[in-house]
Amino acid sequence: MRAADISGDLDRVLVTEEEIHAKLRELAAQVEKDYEGKKLLLVGVLKGAVMVMADFMRCLNREVVMDWMAVSSYGSSTKSSGVVQIRKDLDTDLGGYHVLIVEDIIDSGLTLSWLLSNFASRGAESIEVLALLRKPDAAKVEIDCRYLGFDIPNEFVVGYGLDYAEHYRNLRDVAVLAPHVYA
């Protein structure tokens, strides 16, 4: 689904699918250099990172292992509660791996900060973050994001895996959701 298909629900498009794919190719090339000869584990954060993870992995020209973790701090709200609930833990022992957390968006940073702390206690060789999007003005904690796609304004966005109450994940672009949809 493209933004034109649901234009009445959106204020404006921030990042197009084409821009996203170009950026993921660029980030993949850098990750390949940085992790050459290292045992790399990509950890996707469900459900939002599904699109980013799938497209990013297809850009990599190397063997890589992936796993998924599901955590929640939003529910059906548009703001993070800051209370992290594990819905699905990792299946992989992090020992011996260089872990790259693949995120759709860094908003307040609270959930990701919790994940970084949690993973640090599990014996990974290193832990870094790749995020497609970041809202610098929404940050409540500072997150060191080694691989970043785009900084965006502090507005509620949907598309490319990002949702509102489980809707709009299949929008190919990232767009600002019109307030009348969630007000």
Side-chain angles (χ1 to χ4, degrees):
M1 171 172 65
R2 295 306 297 245
D5 300 326
I6 56 166
S7 60
D9 289 356
L10 307 174
D11 272 353
R12 68 190 184 286
V13 172
L14 295 178
V15 188
T16 67
E17 179 183 33
E18 295 77 17
E19 291 170 321
I20 291 167
H21 287 183
K23 181 58 77 172
L24 290 177
R25 285 190 299 272
E26 177 185 317
L27 293 173
Q30 188 60 52
V31 166
E32 286 175 8
K33 287 180 193 172
D34 293 348
Y35 289 94
E36 186 175 350
K38 295 179 180 175
K39 193 173 163 185
L40 179 61
L41 171 68
L42 302 181
V43 174
V45 182
L46 293 169
K47 299 176 187 171
V50 168
M51 309 299 188
V52 178
M53 176 74 100
D55 288 344
F56 175 71
M57 284 186 70
R58 283 192 290 255
C59 292
L60 291 170
N61 292 313
R62 60 158 293 161
E63 184 181 331
V64 65
V65 176
M66 77 169 170
D67 201 347
W68 297 94
M69 187 161 194
V71 296
S72 176
S73 65
Y74 281 80
S76 62
S77 175
T78 61
K79 301 265 189 229
S80 173
S81 68
V83 178
V84 177
Q85 299 174 334
I86 296 177
R87 307 264 171 126
K88 182 219 172 286
D89 206 346
L90 297 173
D91 296 323
T92 308
D93 178 353
L94 300 185
Y97 280 104
H98 293 270
V99 175
L100 182 58
I101 299 172
V102 177
E103 269 281 27
D104 51 354
I105 190 166
I106 301 174
D107 200 327
S108 69
L110 295 171
T111 302
L112 190 50
S113 175
W114 182 89
L115 274 175
L116 287 164
S117 175
N118 181 284
F119 287 4
S121 69
R122 297 190 189 198
E125 295 292 318
S126 67
I127 306 166
E128 297 291 347
V129 176
L130 178 147
L132 178 64
L133 306 167
R134 177 177 62 184
K135 294 181 184 178
D137 294 338
K140 292 185 178 175
V141 295
E142 188 171 329
I143 299 292
D144 181 22
C145 181
R146 185 164 183 183
Y147 307 98
L148 176 65
F150 305 93
D151 278 330
I152 62 170
N154 189 15
E155 298 182 76
F156 193 75
V157 295
V158 294
Y160 205 74
L162 296 157
D163 74 303
Y164 170 65
E166 295 302 323
H167 296 276
Y168 305 102
R169 288 191 194 277
N170 63 322
L171 175 62
R172 293 173 175 264
D173 311 298
V174 173
V176 176
L177 188 63
H180 73 81
V181 174
Y182 60 86

